[in-house]
Amino acid sequence: MHKKLFIPGPVEVRKEVLEKMATSMIGHRSKEASELQKSISNNMKKIFYTESEILLSTTSGSGLMEGAIRSCTAKRAAVFSVGAFGKRWHEMAVSNNVPADIYEVDKGKAVNVQEIDKVLATGNYDFLAVTHNETSTGIMNPIEEIGEVVKKYPEVIFAVDTVSSAAGSKVEVDKCGIDICITSTQKAIGLPPGMSICTFSDKAIKNAEKVKFRGTYLDLLALYKYIKKKDYQYPSTPSISHMYALDYQLDYILNTEGLENRFARHIEMANIVREWGKTYFELFPDERYISNTLTTIKNTKNISVSDLNKKLGLRGFQISNGYGDLKEKTFRIAHMADCTVAEVEELLSNINDILQLK
Amino acid sequence: MHKKLFIPGPVEVRKEVLEKMATSMIGHRSKEASELQKSISNNMKKIFYTESEILLSTTSGSGLMEGAIRSCTAKRAAVFSVGAFGKRWHEMAVSNNVPADIYEVDKGKAVNVQEIDKVLATGNYDFLAVTHNETSTGIMNPIEEIGEVVKKYPEVIFAVDTVSSAAGSKVEVDKCGIDICITSTQKAIGLPPGMSICTFSDKAIKNAEKVKFRGTYLDLLALYKYIKKKDYQYPSTPSISHMYALDYQLDYILNTEGLENRFARHIEMANIVREWGKTYFELFPDERYISNTLTTIKNTKNISVSDLNKKLGLRGFQISNGYGDLKEKTFRIAHMADCTVAEVEELLSNINDILQLK
């Protein structure tokens, strides 16, 4: 039996989007391929509220995160981490011999904006990496506030991982001064995994030009130069299936549902899960910075999360256990992409039934 | 109108395989995801005649090529190139600050096996990169002969790009002593682009352990360690759609068509195109090393290839112009994946009709 996914990616994908994954192939050096990528780029600019160029990568979001920190750190990177996916930025820098420091907070807390200011004021850094929405803890960092601080340091490239938030929660790239805003297909956009997308500012381009060894496949500057040289084509062969599905879904998001409606629906779903979580358990993250796309709940009743998930599985649902050492201590319910309010309510009512919560 | 693709990737994909791309999502940390990757690995071992481990990467073939030369060159890489895709190996090494030398031949020639012997005998190298099937010229290098030479140098990692040959032409990885054999989905395997696959020998693992900065996403050792640690799962989120389609297609290749039948069909198609090419034009590559999956034809009649392709397009077919500076001087007809003898004959008869060849 298929399980409806309430996990932080892959998400449940609409039937119409899945069908687009089955589109027949075209040559990747054809005019049609250029038109397809141009259409995606134009629509992604709207999703991100940006005038920056859009890059596509046939990788998961991790591919573009690594590409960003390696391609665009000419001096030293400061990684502000609030969980597992924040740490990943730093691990990627280290594995590429990119000088980097990591600044961490306790799990469930957001980044400390004053600390970012203090750290950037040292003048040691030309790259700042932040996770917008951290799915290991359920925190959504205050990206606009951070952006205000970063604007004081024009030499710093501001890179944000919006993998699990973009298209589900408003991210205004240009307003926040984000140079590289990264997302991927399998979260709030509502596609299968397999492609990632980022914005790439003129400032980021200039910094990349200072970096000598950027590699090839994940080199953001190479991706940028290729779309300019070859009219929005990809240096190797991209996942054309994902491009067809993405193009279709972005049109749906912008012109059928509407971006503001989509964001409002995400907040509505989040509110329902938060209320439920507070009624029967406790919320894990700092409520001032709680995620709009995923709720992490503290397992105050000491239930067996793994057992709950097995029982939910028999009813056709799947949620997520806590991440890493938060396993069994927390559990996570994602409410993103094309999931409806009714589906969220159906899930919670099944959990109530299994746990006999009243 | 859909154009039937006779280009060296993406290829025409069977309807049943396209439909598998539309499979509903599962969690990538589920038992089902492990089982799916295990099934693919077991079948890829048969395609490659190997006992080595199989790695999957959500990238084009270029991703794993870069990963291989960067992760597994501890000393210096020797790249033997017979065209554009051979050169790409070298460019990838350079962009990663991996010491490397390139040895080239005239276009249309195969590698010189004696030269490989001489170069490896210097003792300067611990990594050898060769393209099996070079689609820019239509050459298929004598991989078994090369393998015999490489066996004399046990410190050398033998890496082969079989992107456009694997599953269409026999590549016996263990017999040839290949340590890293790379392919991707969109060529003779017959899937859409978006995923690449390689073998990874114990010797390659040991060399990777000597390399300090291997990056993260394209680090072959990281992919290997993760499948061992997490029971055949992927470090980030893989393209589950491709995995479903690949699993389905490998079963078809091995158990419905049969590998030997598949190779024989590729040779039969190649023979038909070669005969046609010799009748009306000339063959471009050295016939002793001519490719089984793609035929490059010298444009001795000085036709407009671009015009021919436009006219073919109106009839629902697409071939390839020559690559790079061979454009208009040659043209290329790919005959790989699930393309049939009848379809090849239909294409040639349409070309005959357009060019009024008798």
Side-chain angles (χ1 to χ4, degrees):
Chain A
M1 178 173 60
H2 173 67
K3 293 176 199 164
K4 244 183 227 178
L5 301 176
F6 293 86
I7 63 175
V11 296
E12 210 50 34
V13 180
R14 294 193 300 133
K15 194 171 164 286
E16 294 78 5
V17 177
L18 287 174
E19 281 168 6
K20 290 290 165 187
M21 293 291 292
T23 308
S24 292
M25 285 299 107
I26 53 169
H28 60 300
R29 295 287 170 252
S30 63
K31 269 187 199 158
E32 286 158 284
S34 289
E35 292 308 319
L36 184 58
Q37 185 158 343
K38 267 184 228 173
S39 168
I40 291 168
S41 294
N42 288 336
N43 283 336
M44 280 307 306
K45 285 182 186 178
K46 293 176 192 159
I47 300 278
F48 276 136
Y49 301 85
T50 188
E51 298 293 321
S52 281
E53 197 47 88
I54 300 290
L55 308 178
L56 299 185
S57 173
T58 299
T59 57
S60 77
S62 294
L64 278 183
M65 285 168 64
E66 180 174 354
I69 204 163
R70 186 184 185 197
S71 305
C72 298
T73 306
K75 202 156 74 174
R76 194 171 189 91
V79 175
F80 278 79
S81 168
V82 300
F85 293 90
K87 273 189 187 164
R88 197 173 276 187
W89 276 112
H90 186 247
E91 290 157 6
M92 286 165 170
V94 170
S95 73
N96 283 292
N97 199 22
V98 171
D101 299 307
I102 184 165
Y103 299 91
E104 296 181 88
V105 294
D106 289 341
K107 278 176 190 161
K109 299 253 174 294
V111 294
N112 181 328
V113 181
Q114 288 70 37
E115 199 197 356
I116 294 183
D117 198 357
K118 232 174 75 183
V119 164
L120 295 185
T122 61
N124 293 338
Y125 302 97
D126 67 344
F127 191 95
L128 170 70
V130 178
T131 315
H132 180 218
N133 189 62
E134 173 62 57
T135 54
S136 70
T137 61
I139 278 288
M140 191 169 260
N141 278 314
I143 218 69
E144 294 194 17
E145 274 180 63
I146 301 171
E148 284 311 309
V149 164
V150 183
K151 281 174 192 161
K152 292 165 58 184
Y153 307 97
E155 74 282 13
V156 174
I157 301 302
F158 184 24
V160 183
D161 161 6
T162 63
V163 166
S164 58
S165 57
S169 196
K170 198 178 228 177
V171 180
E172 294 181 271
V173 167
D174 289 356
K175 190 177 160 195
C176 295
I178 302 173
D179 294 297
I180 308 173
C181 191
I182 299 164
T183 194
S184 59
T185 50
Q186 81 281 9
K187 311 272 179 172
I189 288 179
L191 240 68
M195 186 160 264
S196 53
I197 307 138
C198 75
T199 68
F200 197 46
S201 75
D202 290 342
K203 217 173 98 180
I205 293 167
K206 286 201 186 76
N207 235 46
E209 282 165 351
K210 294 189 229 159
V211 179
K212 195 166 177 194
F213 299 113
R214 299 182 306 269
T216 299
Y217 194 81
L218 306 176
D219 175 11
L220 268 49
L221 189 58
L223 290 171
Y224 174 81
K225 283 185 177 169
Y226 210 88
I227 60 174
K228 293 297 165 191
K229 181 180 155 198
K230 293 276 190 177
D231 197 25
Y232 290 80
Q233 292 185 359
Y234 194 69
S236 55
T237 321
S239 179
I240 294 167
S241 316
H242 282 88
M243 290 170 71
Y244 274 118
L246 182 55
D247 190 44
Y248 177 82
Q249 175 72 345
L250 292 178
D251 180 64
Y252 170 84
I253 291 173
L254 293 166
N255 304 318
T256 302
E257 182 170 28
L259 254 188
E260 293 293 344
N261 293 336
R262 193 172 180 87
F263 298 148
R265 176 171 55 79
H266 277 76
I267 290 170
E268 190 183 351
M269 295 190 295
N271 281 333
I272 292 168
V273 179
R274 288 170 196 165
E275 281 313 306
W276 176 87
K278 283 201 264 195
T279 304
Y280 299 111
F281 296 89
E282 281 174 31
L283 301 182
F284 178 74
D286 182 342
E287 272 197 67
R288 291 170 301 168
Y289 303 108
I290 194 164
S291 166
N292 288 338
T293 56
L294 161 121
T295 303
T296 303
I297 293 159
K298 215 185 273 184
N299 182 9
T300 47
K301 287 195 192 307
N302 226 351
I303 61 161
S304 163
V305 176
S306 140
D307 190 51
L308 167 62
N309 223 352
K310 264 181 213 145
K311 286 177 181 156
L312 279 171
L314 298 173
R315 296 171 182 222
F317 301 94
Q318 194 187 340
I319 62 168
S320 275
N321 208 319
Y323 191 96
D325 56 14
L326 293 174
K327 201 170 169 175
E328 293 296 335
K329 291 178 192 154
T330 64
F331 58 95
R332 298 174 296 159
I333 298 174
H335 27 77
M336 59 171 90
D338 296 310
C339 175
T340 64
V341 167
E343 285 169 323
V344 168
E345 282 167 343
E346 192 192 7
L347 168 75
L348 297 178
S349 127
N350 273 278
I351 298 180
N352 285 350
D353 194 45
I354 291 168
L355 297 179
Q356 298 191 286
L357 301 174
K358 272 162 207 169
Chain B
M1 180 172 57
H2 174 68
K3 293 175 195 165
K4 243 182 229 179
L5 301 176
F6 292 86
I7 63 176
V11 296
E12 209 49 33
V13 179
R14 293 193 299 132
K15 192 170 165 289
E16 294 78 4
V17 177
L18 287 174
E19 280 167 6
K20 290 289 165 189
M21 293 291 293
T23 307
S24 292
M25 283 301 105
I26 52 169
H28 61 302
R29 295 286 171 252
S30 64
K31 269 188 197 158
E32 287 159 282
S34 289
E35 292 308 319
L36 183 58
Q37 185 159 344
K38 269 185 224 172
S39 168
I40 291 168
S41 294
N42 288 336
N43 283 337
M44 280 307 305
K45 286 182 185 178
K46 293 177 192 159
I47 300 278
F48 275 137
Y49 301 85
T50 188
E51 299 293 321
S52 282
E53 198 46 88
I54 299 290
L55 308 178
L56 300 185
S57 173
T58 299
T59 57
S60 79
S62 294
L64 278 183
M65 284 168 65
E66 180 174 355
I69 204 162
R70 185 184 186 199
S71 305
C72 299
T73 306
K75 202 156 75 175
R76 194 172 189 89
V79 176
F80 278 80
S81 168
V82 300
F85 293 90
K87 272 188 190 164
R88 197 173 276 189
W89 277 112
H90 186 248
E91 289 157 5
M92 286 165 171
V94 170
S95 73
N96 283 291
N97 199 21
V98 171
D101 299 306
I102 184 165
Y103 299 91
E104 296 181 89
V105 293
D106 290 340
K107 278 176 190 161
K109 300 254 172 292
V111 294
N112 182 329
V113 181
Q114 288 71 39
E115 198 196 357
I116 293 183
D117 198 357
K118 235 173 75 184
V119 164
L120 295 185
T122 62
N124 293 338
Y125 302 98
D126 67 343
F127 192 95
L128 170 69
V130 178
T131 315
H132 180 218
N133 190 63
E134 173 63 55
T135 53
S136 69
T137 61
I139 278 288
M140 190 168 262
N141 278 315
I143 217 70
E144 295 195 16
E145 274 180 63
I146 301 170
E148 283 311 310
V149 164
V150 182
K151 281 174 192 162
K152 292 164 60 184
Y153 306 97
E155 74 281 13
V156 174
I157 302 300
F158 183 24
V160 184
D161 160 6
T162 64
V163 166
S164 59
S165 56
S169 196
K170 199 179 227 173
V171 180
E172 294 181 89
V173 165
D174 290 355
K175 191 176 158 195
C176 295
I178 301 173
D179 295 295
I180 308 173
C181 191
I182 298 163
T183 193
S184 60
T185 49
Q186 81 281 10
K187 312 272 176 169
I189 288 178
L191 240 68
M195 184 161 264
S196 54
I197 307 138
C198 75
T199 68
F200 197 46
S201 74
D202 290 341
K203 219 172 96 181
I205 293 166
K206 288 205 184 74
N207 235 46
E209 283 165 351
K210 294 188 229 161
V211 179
K212 195 165 176 194
F213 299 113
R214 298 182 306 269
T216 299
Y217 195 81
L218 306 176
D219 176 11
L220 268 49
L221 189 59
L223 290 171
Y224 174 80
K225 283 184 176 169
Y226 210 86
I227 61 174
K228 294 297 165 190
K229 182 180 153 198
K230 293 274 190 182
D231 197 26
Y232 289 81
Q233 291 184 359
Y234 194 70
S236 56
T237 322
S239 179
I240 294 167
S241 316
H242 282 88
M243 290 171 72
Y244 274 118
L246 181 56
D247 190 45
Y248 177 83
Q249 174 72 345
L250 292 178
D251 180 65
Y252 169 85
I253 290 172
L254 292 166
N255 304 317
T256 303
E257 180 170 30
L259 254 188
E260 292 294 342
N261 293 336
R262 192 171 180 88
F263 299 148
R265 175 171 56 78
H266 276 77
I267 290 170
E268 191 183 350
M269 294 190 296
N271 281 332
I272 291 168
V273 179
R274 288 168 196 166
E275 279 314 304
W276 177 87
K278 284 202 264 193
T279 303
Y280 298 111
F281 295 89
E282 279 175 34
L283 301 181
F284 178 75
D286 182 341
E287 271 197 68
R288 292 170 302 169
Y289 302 108
I290 193 164
S291 164
N292 288 338
T293 55
L294 161 121
T295 303
T296 302
I297 292 159
K298 213 186 274 184
N299 182 9
T300 47
K301 285 194 192 313
N302 227 349
I303 61 161
S304 162
V305 175
S306 140
D307 190 53
L308 168 63
N309 224 354
K310 264 181 214 146
K311 286 177 179 156
L312 278 171
L314 298 174
R315 296 173 182 221
F317 301 94
Q318 195 188 340
I319 62 169
S320 275
N321 209 320
Y323 190 97
D325 57 13
L326 292 174
K327 200 171 170 177
E328 293 295 335
K329 291 178 189 153
T330 64
F331 59 95
R332 299 173 297 159
I333 298 173
H335 27 76
M336 58 170 92
D338 296 311
C339 172
T340 64
V341 167
E343 285 169 322
V344 168
E345 282 167 343
E346 193 193 6
L347 168 76
L348 297 178
S349 127
N350 273 278
I351 300 180
N352 284 349
D353 194 45
I354 290 167
L355 299 178
Q356 297 192 288
L357 301 174
K358 271 160 205 166

